[in-house]
Amino acid sequence: MVAAASLALLSGSLLLAATPSQASAPAASAKTITGSHPAWATASADAGSVSSSTEVTGTVYLAGQDPAGLTSYATAVSDPSNASYGKFLSPAQYQARFGATKAQIAAVQKWAEDSGLKVLGTTSHAITVKGTNSALTKAFGTGEHQYKVSGELRHAPARDLKVPASVSSAILGVDGLSSVGSNVVRPDSHKVTSDTATSAKGAKADKSLPTTPTCSAYWGQKTAKGAPAGFTKKDVAFDQCSLYPSQIRKAYGITSTGLTGKGATIAIVDAYGSSTMEADANQYATNHGDKAFKKGQYTEVVDSSQWTDQDLCGGPEGWAPEEALDVEMAHGLAPDANVVYVGANSCTDDDLLAAITKIVDNHLADVVSNSWGEIMHTTDNADVTASEIAAYEQVFQQAAIEGISVGFSAGDCGDSSPLAAATGANCQTDTARAQANWPDSDPWVTSVGGTALALADKSGKYGFETDMGTTRSALSADGKSWNPAPAAAPFYFGGGGGTSEDFAQPGYQRGVVPDMLSHTLMTGQKVAAAKRVTPDISMVGDLYTSVLVGISDGAAYSEGGYGGTSVSSPEFAAVQADAIQAGHHAIGFANPAIYARSHLTTDVVDKQAQHSSTPLSSVYDAGVVNGNLLVRLIGFGQDTSLNAVRGYDDATGVGSPNASYLKSYRF
């Protein structure tokens, strides 16, 4: 991995620096593609060269005309204190100033073809090539070897790739030439009733617990005894009924501002596409007192003829609930904003990046929400590569220059440690260590974390929030015991966050993020140089203060509760659409403005830490699972090693948005 450049606040004078056409550029030299020889391809595992006729497909990412200028301009145009703030470029202006030129593209194509590679496809960002091992060796100075890893043969370049001086300045990176070169991501959502639990002897329960499904319209409306002795001295509240958009709008102060996202466009990126998305969203909205989409307000960019890897990714049916969740939350919190759904052709990084790139190249939206992600460092050699990071980051910077905000969910596995993954409901089990996730940890995107939101009364007024981190114990079938005992219940579900070992601290976090966080990695290691910390901001996403989602996707329409930072990401995208309406101006890369307003957000503090008897930090959840009533005792505010404290923290960032945050964008 390579550390990303720090987003230092730049002065406007940097924009006057000479472009490559104005300055005398140094002579080009051959370029080594760092990290293209994976760490798992060791000499001891080397099983020899693959056949010279074996064909491999890879991607050559294009650097464009002025990579350094790209970073400088993206920084300046995003900085509220800079004279160039908000002076965004159109896609055509971006391409003319920073995009790859026809000459660069032609030179890279010629080099590839002269080496014996076939050019399978070309865009202004990348060239896809395919060739035999002999051709790859000629093009990159090294061939493919086989490596025996964990009992199986894999292939990878025998050493880091090199590209010749004639094209080195035009190439950003190369990816895909290893057999685990394309990672698979997962949606950051989870259905409330999709889990099961076993029963066993544990702490004693109480006869006052329900015999039918039970939930509260607001926090504390319904309570019961039955918590184990010593767990809490007070009666325990029942879980809130799943929230719907008008409740969320009121709780966060959106309703009081009168903002509806009018004039803004939100893009949603997931894999594949539901066959009934607009109809489902319209029924969901009208079922809960909101307006259906107007004609032309909702659009889709989906091509089912190009879908791939459906078995690997869970297919369209596996992603349909995520799509419904994202579209309905975006529409629900910004009901007059346009929404465009862009379905990637699979859940691989290449296809998801292509979907984001399509939005940015064509300026299809002002705000982009991505409710998916992955870990960066794995135990099965599927780490995110330096070339992949560079390719994504180039598009993120292009988005900033065009005035487009890009947000990602922070994940649902707390600190993503092996300990969390052992018991967490939505974790990657191949995690190598506690770590921040990707792509939300990239300094050029907004990382959206999760909270548990409580309504104060029947009017729906904001009650409180705590960090999104839950433990869970199930009541036995005879109602006499809990499993496991609540005091020993392990982590079950929680918002992602933490200190990145891969990215330097961006300028917008200086003075807001405590040094204790920015200088301490998730492993506990102290580092001299400050690092990027996530999340940036948070909204409701906890599995047990869930949101209601409606979906049919060809079946009978139904509604159910969903939780995860997949909820939080489209919610915040909608809040940003509301802010765009308030300011009558695109926001672009949102983080500098968010941190400048950190004093206006609602500071989310762990209620567990504030109340030793935990009256605000535990609920009963009583619902039907597989036809049977299942009662659980849920503990809130226990998000692995992440903690919600006063000020910025690695569980909820600067906190959650509110009316003051939105009103601050008004001119």
Side-chain angles (χ1 to χ4, degrees), residues 16 127 273 305 393 493:
L16 303 178
I127 296 175
S305 69
E393 199 158 86
F493 199 76

Side-chain angles (χ1 to χ4, degrees), residues 525-539:
Q525 178 187 348
K526 301 293 183 179
V527 291
K531 296 291 187 177
R532 161 83 158 128
V533 186
T534 61
D536 297 306
I537 198 164
S538 296
M539 292 186 72

Side-chain angles (χ1 to χ4, degrees), residues 464-469 603-611 616-617 636-640 642-646 649 651-652:
F464 68 85
E465 285 176 281
T466 190
D467 48 330
M468 177 180 142
D603 192 9
V604 178
V605 179
D606 183 3
K607 299 297 179 183
Q608 180 81 14
Q610 290 186 334
H611 301 273
L616 296 178
S617 299
F636 279 148
Q638 301 177 62
D639 193 8
T640 59
L642 311 180
N643 294 293
V645 298
R646 296 197 181 280
D649 57 68
T652 63

Side-chain angles (χ1 to χ4, degrees), residues 355-428:
I356 300 171
T357 302
K358 185 175 295 183
I359 295 167
V360 175
D361 280 348
N362 298 283
H363 204 115
L364 299 181
D366 305 296
V367 188
V368 185
S369 174
N370 301 271
S371 289
W372 44 269
E374 61 192 300
I375 56 174
M376 297 192 71
H377 304 285
T378 71
T379 57
D380 53 6
N381 311 308
D383 287 15
V384 179
T385 68
S387 290
E388 185 180 328
I389 292 171
Y392 265 91
E393 199 158 86
Q394 182 189 68
V395 177
F396 296 154
Q397 291 177 347
Q398 179 184 347
I401 286 173
E402 293 183 17
I404 300 172
S405 304
V406 181
F408 281 86
S409 54
D412 303 331
C413 193
D415 60 16
S416 292
S417 64
L419 183 63
T423 57
N426 211 23
C427 297
Q428 278 183 250

